[in-house]
Amino acid sequence: MVPHHDTVTDLDQELSGRLGQIREAGLWRELRRVDSPQGARIRIAGQELLNFSSNDYLGLAHHPALRDAAAKAAQDFGAGSGASRLICGSLAPHHQLEESLAEFKGTQAALAFSTGYAAALGAITAVLGKDDVIVVDKLVHACCVDAARLSGAKLRVFGHNDLDDLERILRWADGRGAEGRRGRTLVVTESVFSMDGDLAPLKDIVDLKERHGAWLMLDEAHATGLFGEHRRGVAEAFGVAGRVEIQMGTLGKAFGAAGGYIAGSRVLADHLVNRARSFIFSTAPVPAAAAAARAGIEVVAGSDGAQRCHRLWTLVDFFKKGLVNSGWPPGLVQSAIIPLMVGDETAAVALADTLRASGVFIPAIRYPTVARGAARLRATLSAGHTAEEVTGAVAALVANRPPAPVA
Ligand SMILES: *Cc1c(COP(=O)(O)O)cnc(C)c1O
């Protein structure tokens, strides 16, 4: 038996102090154990909750096609992948997944990573170094910010969706080139912003980066599977997919599985295999995850996916109208992410707690995920919801609306 030490180490003491501050600031976080599969209803602490918190936008996480594919891959290829991709862990399911991804995205190639986070980290650090410039939207996901810092490139942040600010920074980067400095510029943005649910002005951003000879990396984590004729993402919907050098996404949201990907040219994929450290120095994803993701892509690409996508947009509209009719209109609704601004961190958490007690799970999102004082409830809809469930969530929201919500 491993001995259990009761001694409080110096580290523990230090960390306890820091945790105390986190609690006092109303920013304490803890895990909630879920005792059911992902779905429109989940079970937490013995209570069944209407789930408006998941990224399983098309209801695929528990879809039989994905479950069966995962089970079959575990039977055929085992539970573990044994090694990194470049040693002996590059199993058939990984290659099949990458072929399906490239076909789905309409790119020459695609490379799968163990998470979207790892994809961003690997791609940005493989492409940029200290002579380069990386320009990110103020609201890009933490993985792109962390990657930017790790790359050693000069990091510049433009105001959220602010084209003038972006142009100002790109002009400054041009000036560096004119001074004879080496180095290239990469712009990074999201197509659907994860905490506000709004879209980037993608056409204008693509025009801008081309005028300045910069490259673009687009994170489509919340858009793949949901936008565009073939559900490839917002780049497809806006007709600019062929002009985005690095297309990134996750396999853990609409695709219903887990993992991340980069889609683009063959040269880009080859470069990442050679240089992306999060790809090279990490055990390959388990076969079941790769196979489930591939099955998810196939569902999304087919008529089942089309129907689910249509259903999701119908429900989003229904949810929005319900709130508008009840006098609590949400902000701009452009995706399946609907933020309801509260402002104060403690008030947002209290509201989420009250909703949960009434059987509706809509999480409070607060600092550091969003800015201080910009706490909100963040509702995400799924094709797995019924109209009645959406009506139930709206009713619970309206019944518990705080006295003076900050719009
Ligand atoms: C979820 C998310 C990621 C990370 O993807 P994982 O596969 O969950 O690691 C990256 N970017 C955005 C915008 C996301 O929402």
Side-chain angles (χ1 to χ4, degrees):
M1 212 183 98
V2 181
H4 186 273
H5 297 287
D6 288 328
T7 47
V8 177
T9 65
D10 185 52
L11 172 67
D12 289 343
Q13 235 160 29
E14 168 66 27
L15 297 185
S16 298
R18 294 187 203 171
L19 282 175
Q21 291 170 4
I22 290 174
R23 270 188 198 279
E24 274 165 34
L27 300 176
W28 176 259
R29 298 168 164 214
E30 62 192 356
L31 298 174
R32 286 184 205 93
R33 170 174 152 166
V34 178
D35 290 306
S36 65
Q38 278 306 321
R41 288 163 192 271
I42 51 173
R43 200 166 51 255
I44 296 179
Q47 187 190 7
E48 187 177 86
L49 295 172
L50 263 179
N51 183 16
F52 286 87
S53 68
S54 129
N55 301 313
D56 181 21
Y57 294 118
L58 297 177
L60 298 190
H62 197 48
H63 190 290
L66 278 76
R67 291 200 318 249
D68 291 350
K72 183 166 191 317
Q75 286 298 336
D76 295 350
F77 290 92
S81 48
S84 68
R85 293 285 303 275
L86 279 167
I87 304 298
C88 65
S90 200
L91 305 173
H94 301 122
H95 290 264
Q96 289 166 338
L97 166 61
E98 286 163 354
E99 284 159 21
S100 294
L101 260 172
E103 191 187 328
F104 175 78
K105 292 293 284 183
T107 52
Q108 283 175 6
L111 195 67
F113 288 72
S114 36
T115 63
Y117 190 105
L121 218 60
I124 290 174
T125 58
V127 169
L128 300 181
K130 65 174 176 42
D131 292 331
D132 302 309
V133 172
I134 181 164
V135 192
V136 306
D137 185 285
K138 189 174 192 306
L139 296 188
V140 289
H141 192 265
C143 62
C144 293
V145 176
D146 295 355
R149 293 200 180 118
L150 192 60
S151 73
K154 212 164 249 324
L155 172 60
R156 288 288 182 271
V157 179
F158 64 98
H160 177 52
N161 283 344
D162 185 339
L163 293 164
D164 293 335
D165 202 24
L166 174 59
E167 183 159 28
R168 182 183 62 78
I169 296 169
L170 289 174
R171 281 215 204 93
W172 163 81
D174 290 346
R176 284 168 54 90
E179 286 168 15
R181 289 196 224 212
R182 297 190 302 128
R184 304 296 301 263
T185 300
L186 177 70
V187 176
V188 180
T189 193
E190 277 168 38
S191 53
V192 171
F193 283 84
S194 58
M195 294 301 140
D196 295 77
D198 57 336
L199 303 190
L202 197 56
K203 271 189 188 148
D204 295 326
I205 289 177
V206 168
D207 287 342
L208 254 183
K209 67 97 183 169
E210 286 178 355
R211 272 211 300 285
H212 292 272
W215 304 318
L216 178 62
M217 174 161 159
L218 183 66
D219 182 348
E220 296 243 46
H222 296 278
T224 318
L226 308 180
F227 289 83
E229 190 191 343
H230 302 97
R231 295 174 288 291
R232 290 171 178 166
V234 172
E236 182 197 16
F238 287 2
V240 295
R243 295 160 68 194
V244 179
E245 286 85 356
I246 307 176
Q247 300 193 55
M248 174 202 151
T250 176
L251 303 169
K253 290 172 181 158
F255 286 140
Y261 70 85
I262 300 288
S265 66
R266 182 75 256 161
V267 176
L268 173 65
D270 287 346
H271 184 75
L272 295 181
V273 169
N274 282 274
R275 283 286 180 267
R277 296 169 64 87
S278 64
F279 177 87
I280 298 169
F281 298 105
S282 193
T283 300
V286 296
R294 183 180 188 228
I297 294 166
E298 279 172 4
V299 172
V300 169
S303 59
D304 187 0
Q307 278 164 24
R308 283 168 186 267
C309 192
H310 178 74
R311 176 172 178 71
L312 173 64
W313 292 124
T314 307
L315 290 172
V316 167
D317 200 45
F318 190 58
F319 185 80
K320 183 176 120 181
K321 287 202 176 111
L323 282 170
V324 170
N325 292 340
S326 319
W328 191 5
L332 200 59
V333 177
Q334 296 184 304
S335 69
I337 300 166
I338 300 159
L340 290 150
M341 298 308 286
V342 177
D344 179 67
E345 278 78 20
T346 311
V349 172
L351 178 54
D353 286 348
T354 308
L355 287 171
R356 203 162 64 247
S358 76
V360 178
F361 186 30
I362 303 178
I365 307 284
R366 58 203 148 131
Y367 180 83
T369 306
V370 295
R372 278 185 206 276
R376 67 202 63 182
L377 294 188
R378 174 179 178 270
T380 49
L381 297 203
S382 166
H385 289 128
T386 63
E388 293 70 41
E389 286 166 344
V390 172
T391 307
V394 170
L397 274 166
V398 171
N400 295 290
R401 178 183 176 173
V406 180

